[in-house]
Amino acid sequence: YLERWGTVNLVKNHLLDSKITTAAFVEFLEKGFSQASLHQISEKAGVTTGALYTRYKNKNDLFCALVKDIYSSYINDSQKILTLISNAADSKDIDMFWRSFSLEKRVYLTLLSNHCKACQLLFCKSSGTTIEEKISSFLGEKADRTFSMLSALQIPIDYKTVDLMIHASFYFYQKLIENWDGTIYSMQVLDNIDTRERETRAFVKLNNFIPDSKCILITNSEEAVLDCEGIRVEVIPIWKWLLMNDL
């Protein structure tokens, strides 16, 4: 009898936990962490606030529980990016350094395509949480390692500029995630006219794997529409791209 009663309680607790996490996810996604209310979450879940506090220490604890898996994945991948930058600095390998940016793009887009709503919760609704502090710490460490890399190559740039670039890059992905409408973008940055053929060939190869992606080639000043073996490529100057995305 006691064993059966214990099983019933486990099922009830699981259902209750599910109601709470579902209600919390909706509340945080609609209002963000700072404006979300535990009282509203408990009402939506049909439980008392006491039931919340028996499971979570506070609002921050509840939010962190919701994004635990996707945050863990993000941090693991981010550590690989930091390692790649450090190795590039040690070996003065500029190609390895650029690969870190390609890896970063893949990390964000993979998370977004596989976990869109959780991704929005983590990167766009976490202001005021300990998660936000940890992401900020990662960006600071990335700026440190990037500055070391550029210093090793004797590239004249100050730390403040590097830090600004790192945070601007994160803000770009943050806005992309926040406003994502399901369109998959394939983007290349052209900083040398001699590499245009290489960049456009990359779009052709990508189309074999993601046939419906929107291809964009960002340039310093050129604007055009190209046809690359039947694939439409929009060539957009960087100033226009930033305005389009409200960056």
Side-chain angles (χ1 to χ4, degrees):
Y1 173 80
L2 288 176
E3 183 178 346
R4 186 169 66 250
W5 180 251
T7 301
V8 170
N9 277 340
L10 283 174
V11 172
K12 284 184 176 180
N13 284 332
H14 176 73
L15 292 175
L16 195 60
D17 288 338
S18 180
K19 287 181 179 180
I20 292 172
T21 54
T22 299
F25 197 97
V26 171
E27 177 78 1
F28 285 131
L29 198 60
E30 285 179 353
K31 300 178 181 178
F33 173 80
S34 297
Q35 298 301 317
S37 161
L38 288 180
H39 178 70
Q40 288 296 319
I41 291 171
S42 62
E43 282 197 349
K44 288 177 181 178
V47 301
T48 64
T49 52
L52 290 181
Y53 282 112
T54 58
R55 289 163 172 78
Y56 306 98
K57 291 185 294 184
N58 48 44
K59 189 167 67 168
N60 179 77
D61 192 40
L62 175 54
F63 184 93
C64 291
L66 292 178
V67 298
K68 178 180 68 175
D69 290 341
I70 189 172
Y71 172 72
S72 177
S73 178
Y74 170 68
I75 288 299
N76 288 338
D77 288 333
S78 296
Q79 192 57 52
K80 295 175 185 176
I81 294 171
L82 293 178
T83 301
L84 200 58
I85 295 173
S86 292
N87 291 342
D90 293 339
S91 59
K92 297 183 180 180
D93 188 337
I94 189 65
D95 290 331
M96 186 185 294
F97 177 63
W98 291 126
R99 284 202 299 276
S100 72
F101 287 91
S102 297
L103 175 58
E104 181 179 45
K105 179 172 70 173
R106 188 160 65 248
V107 167
Y108 282 112
L109 294 182
T110 299
L111 288 176
L112 181 57
S113 59
N114 293 335
H115 313 282
C116 178
K117 295 300 182 184
C119 209
Q120 291 173 339
L121 197 64
L122 174 63
F123 295 111
C124 308
K125 304 294 183 178
S126 60
S127 179
T129 67
T130 53
I131 291 284
E132 181 192 35
E133 294 173 4
K134 291 175 182 177
I135 291 177
S136 179
S137 177
F138 159 70
L139 295 176
E141 188 171 357
K142 185 183 175 189
D144 292 343
R145 298 196 190 192
T146 299
F147 182 69
S148 296
M149 168 66 199
L150 298 176
S151 297
L153 294 174
Q154 297 184 331
I155 295 176
I157 189 170
D158 62 275
Y159 180 83
K160 187 175 181 180
T161 301
V162 172
D163 188 59
L164 182 63
M165 289 168 55
I166 295 301
H167 281 82
S169 175
F170 175 75
Y171 183 64
F172 165 81
Y173 286 114
Q174 195 177 42
K175 295 297 288 186
L176 178 66
I177 291 166
E178 184 178 22
N179 299 314
W180 195 57
D181 60 359
T183 302
I184 299 176
Y185 290 91
S186 172
M187 290 176 286
Q188 299 284 352
V189 177
L190 182 68
D191 56 3
N192 188 331
I193 195 67
D194 297 330
T195 64
R196 174 191 274 197
E197 186 179 350
R198 183 188 69 188
E199 306 299 349
T200 52
R201 281 203 310 269
F203 287 128
V204 175
K205 290 181 180 179
L206 181 69
N207 192 63
N208 294 326
F209 301 97
I210 313 176
D212 297 323
S213 62
K214 185 174 181 179
C215 300
I216 296 175
L217 185 61
I218 300 176
T219 66
N220 287 328
S221 57
E222 184 183 358
E223 185 171 8
V225 176
L226 306 177
D227 184 284
C228 303
E229 299 182 25
I231 299 168
R232 187 176 189 271
V233 177
E234 294 183 38
V235 182
I236 302 175
I238 189 166
W239 64 265
K240 188 171 184 178
W241 170 254
L242 294 175
L243 289 176
M244 287 166 57
N245 291 277
D246 190 30
L247 298 179

